[in-house]
Amino acid sequence: CKIALPFQLESDCVLLDGLKKAESEDAWVVHLYEPVGAEATCTLTGLADGCTVFEADILERAENELAVSNGGVDLSFRPFEVKVLLIRP
């Protein structure tokens, strides 16, 4: 079974911990984390034109809209930080 992901993750350190459909809307919920205790960056690329990306809380409520540029979003992580993102088509 093949599943088409809504993005690609480019990072030397940040890991994708979870990916699922949102409970209450047409969106993807993405859980990312930094596992080694260092500051890190990553980029989500391959996002569809017109999609919006938000940092969200654990209950999947959108908080801060992130800038999407050329189909990508740049993220920065503190040591051991976990981020929840909401990707709306």
Side-chain angles (χ1 to χ4, degrees), residues 18-76:
L19 173 69
K20 70 179 199 95
K21 293 294 255 176
E23 296 290 329
S24 61
E25 64 178 292
D26 181 25
W28 288 96
V29 177
V30 180
H31 290 239
L32 302 168
Y33 74 101
E34 190 291 313
V36 298
E39 292 191 7
T41 60
C42 74
T43 302
L44 297 182
T45 62
L47 296 167
D49 289 338
C51 78
T52 53
V53 180
F54 295 86
E55 284 192 79
D57 64 17
I58 196 69
L59 298 176
E60 303 176 8
R61 295 180 295 217
E63 294 181 336
N64 302 317
E65 185 170 358
L66 302 174
V68 177
S69 177
N70 297 319
V73 172
D74 295 321
L75 299 165
S76 296

